Amino acid sequence: MIRLLIGEFREGMVIAFRAIRANKMRSVLTAVGIIIGIVSVTLMGTAIEGLNRAFNRSIAAIGADVLYVQKWPWGGGQDWWTIRNRKDIRLQQSRVLEKQMTLARAISPIMGARRTVKYERKYIESVIVIGTDADFLETVGTDLEFGRFFTAMEADGGRPVCAVGSDIATNLFPSENPIGKTIKVGAFAYRIVGVIVKQGSLLGMESLDNRVYVPLNRFIGQFSSMRGGIQIWVKALNLAEVENAKEEVRGIMRKVRGLSPKQPDDFAINQQEILIQTFNKIGGVIAAVGLFITGLALFVGGIGIMNIMFVSVTERTREIGIRKAIGAPKRTILLQFLIESAALCLVGGLIGIAIAFPLSLIIDQVLPTVMPLSIVFIALVISVFVGVVSGLLPAYRASRLDPVDALRYE
Amino acid sequence: MPTKKRNNHEQPQMGERMPSIIRIQNVAKIYQMGLEEVRALNGIDVEIARNEYVAIMGPSGSGKSTLMNIIGCLDTPTSGLYELNNINVSDLNDNQLARIRNKEIGFVFQTFNLLARSDVLHNVELPLIYGGISSGDRKNLAQEAIERVGLSDRSHHKPNELSGGQRQRVAVARALVTHPSILLADEPTGNLDSKTGEDIMALFDRLHKEGNTIILVTHEADIAAHAHRIVHIRDGKVEKDEKVKNRKIAHAQSVVS
Ligand SMILES: Nc1ncnc2c1ncn2[C@@H]1O[C@H](COP(=O)(O)OP(=O)(O)OP(=O)(O)O)[C@@H](O)[C@H]1O
Ligand SMILES: [Mg+2]
C-alpha cells in the first residue's frame, strides 16, 4: 500500500513537472497571483523581522526599567490642547524626586536642543544636544567607549565639558583621538571628555549616536532659558520595582505640582512599554497591509490556478481515460491533479521568493535585517496549500470522468 | 494470480468443456438520448472459456464496442449478468472495477491510446505503477513485455517516433505487462495497413499459443479468420456464433522484424 502510494506520488510529480515544462509560459502567467502573494508575504515577514531586530538592538539596550517623566505622553491619545496647556516640568521637581525617592537607582534631569557641532572645518548640523547631570550614564545604562563622563562637580559647576556619541566622534575625528579636543556646540566651546559606546538607530528614527551631552547647568543659559520645561528620567532599582517606582514618582510629582486628589495627572510617566506598543502598532500595520495584499493576491491567484487546472483537465481528458482504462483508481487521478496544481503553485512560490530576496536587501538598507528562513518555509507551505485547495475541484472532476466517455473525447 | 494461464501452453482439446472465464447473460446497455432509448446491447448472451481466441464481428453500430467495454469493465451493463472469473461485476464499485482492469484485463485500442509525452518503457510500466509493483520489478516486467512484442531497441522512443504498427505493439505490450486473464482488442488493426495488420495478428496468434485468452473486434473477415470462433452481432444481439474452420495462421517470423 505504501509502495503503491509512493509510486503514484512519484508518477504524479513526474507528470506535474512535465506538464508545467510543456506549458512554461502559461504556467508562469497563471502563477502570477501566487508570485505576488508570496513576494508580499515574505517581504512582510522580513520587515517585521527587521522591526524586531531594531527593537531588540536599540530599545531594549536603553533598558526597560527607565521611567520618562514628561509633559507629553508617548503614543498620543489625549487631547492635544489640554496637554499643551500643562505646566512645564521643572528642574526643581527633579531635585525633589532625587531627595524623596526610595525606589530609584538614578535620576537625571534632561533638556534637549538642536545645534550645529563644529570641529575645525568639519561640522554636523542639527545635532541633538542634551543637558543632563553626572548620573546620566547610570540612568540610561550605557557605557563609555573612551574617556569619562563629566563629573558631578563639573555638572554642578556648569563646566564647558561634554561627552559625545560615537557617530560624532567618528565623523568629526576620523583620524584623531577626540578626547581633549575642543568642539563648538552652536556658538559655544566644549572640551570632549568621553565618547559613548555605539548604540545604533531605531527604525529610521534619529541615531542615538549623533548626540552631544553637556552639563545641564551650562545648557541652561546657553541653549535654553531657565524657564524651559525639562524631562526627568528615572531608573528604577530593578525591573521588578518598575511599577512601584512609577507609583512613587506619581505620588511625589502630584504633591510637588500641587494637584488636589480629584485632579488628573498633569504630567506623563512614559515607559518602554509604550514604545513597545508603538512598535507593535507599526508591526501590526505592516502585517495588516501585508496580509491584505497577500490574501488578495493568493485568492485571485488561486482562482487563476483553478481555472487553468480545469483547462488542463479538459485538455487531457483522453489521457485520463487511458489511465483509467489501464487501472488508475479515482484516488490516483485526484492525486495526480492535486500534485500538478500544488507543483504549479510551488513553482510560483519559488519564483516569488527569488523576486522577494533582492527586494529584502532594499528593506535591509532602511531596517537592517535578513529574510528569515521560517518565512521562506511558511511561504512554500502557503503555496502548496493554495495549490491543493484550488486544485481540489478540477482534480475531483477529473477523477469522476467516465473512462469510456473520456477515451472517446476528441 | 497472473501465473495461472502462462503455464497453460497446450491447445484446448476439442470437445472438452473449458471453465468459462466470461459469462454474459441477457445483458442490455441502454442509452437515454432525450426521449429516445438507444439499445446498444439488447439482451446478449455470450460465454467465453479460458484460452479461447474469439473474434466479434458485426455491422457498424451493432454494439461491438459497447460489449467490449463491458467485458473490459470500462462500462457496466444497464441490466443482465456479467461474471468475470466467477465474480459478478455489477456488484463492484468504481475502485474495484479499476483494480480488475489493472489486474485481469489487457485492453488494446484501435487508436493505440499511448501517452504521447512518455517513452515506450514508461507507457508499458504504467499499469504496474497503478498495480503497486516496486520500481525494480516494474522495469524487469516492462522490458520483458517489450521484448515479447519485439521492440527492445525502441524502449526509449516516444510514440511519435514510432510507426503505427510499432505503436500498436507498444499498446499490446502494455496490455500484456500485468499478465491479465484476458486480452481485449477493439479493432486493433483498424488504423493499420494490411501488412502491418498481419504483423499484429501474428503477435496475437503467438500470444494465444502461449496461453492467453484473446477477444478482438474486427470488420475484416481476413482478420477474424485468425480466431477459433467468431461471434456475429446485430442490433445488440448475437446473430451467429461459429467455429472457424480454416484458420489463418500468420507468419510468426514477421513479428520480430
Ligand atoms: N455514449 C453513448 N451515448 C449514446 N449512444 C451510444 C453511446 N455509445 C454508443 N452508443 C450507441 O450504441 C450503439 C452501439 O455502439 P457501438 O460503439 O457499440 O457500435 P460498434 O458496433 O462498435 O460500431 P463500430 O463498428 O462503428 O465501431 C450505436 O448505435 C451508438 O450510437
Ligand atoms: Mg466500435
Side-chain angles (χ1 to χ4, degrees), chain B residues 89-109:
Chain B
V89 171
S90 23
D91 292 344
L92 304 180
N93 65 27
D94 282 0
N95 283 334
Q96 289 166 320
L97 288 176
R99 207 177 147 73
I100 295 220
R101 290 198 293 272
N102 186 253
K103 305 273 183 218
E104 304 290 337
I105 314 269
F107 220 119
V108 177
F109 303 89

Side-chain angles (χ1 to χ4, degrees), chain B residues 18-37:
Chain B
M18 294 289 292
S20 285
I21 189 166
I22 289 166
R23 180 177 294 130
I24 286 173
Q25 283 170 4
N26 199 23
V27 159
K29 180 74 188 182
I30 300 167
Y31 294 104
Q32 201 71 42
M33 304 294 284
L35 289 177
E36 234 180 297
E37 279 191 340

Side-chain angles (χ1 to χ4, degrees), chain A residues 405 408, chain B residues 31 33 38-40 58-67 186-187 219:
Chain A
D405 291 344
R408 198 180 288 143
Chain B
Y31 294 104
M33 304 294 284
V38 179
R39 294 183 165 262
S60 186
S62 56
K64 304 183 296 292
S65 296
T66 307
L67 178 62
D186 192 349
E187 302 194 40
H219 277 121

Side-chain angles (χ1 to χ4, degrees), chain B residues 12 28 48 58 63 67 84 102 121 139 154 227 240 242 251:
Chain B
I48 293 171
L67 178 62
L84 173 65
N102 186 253
L121 182 62
K139 290 271 181 300
R154 296 284 192 278
K240 196 165 85 182
E242 59 175 350
H251 301 289

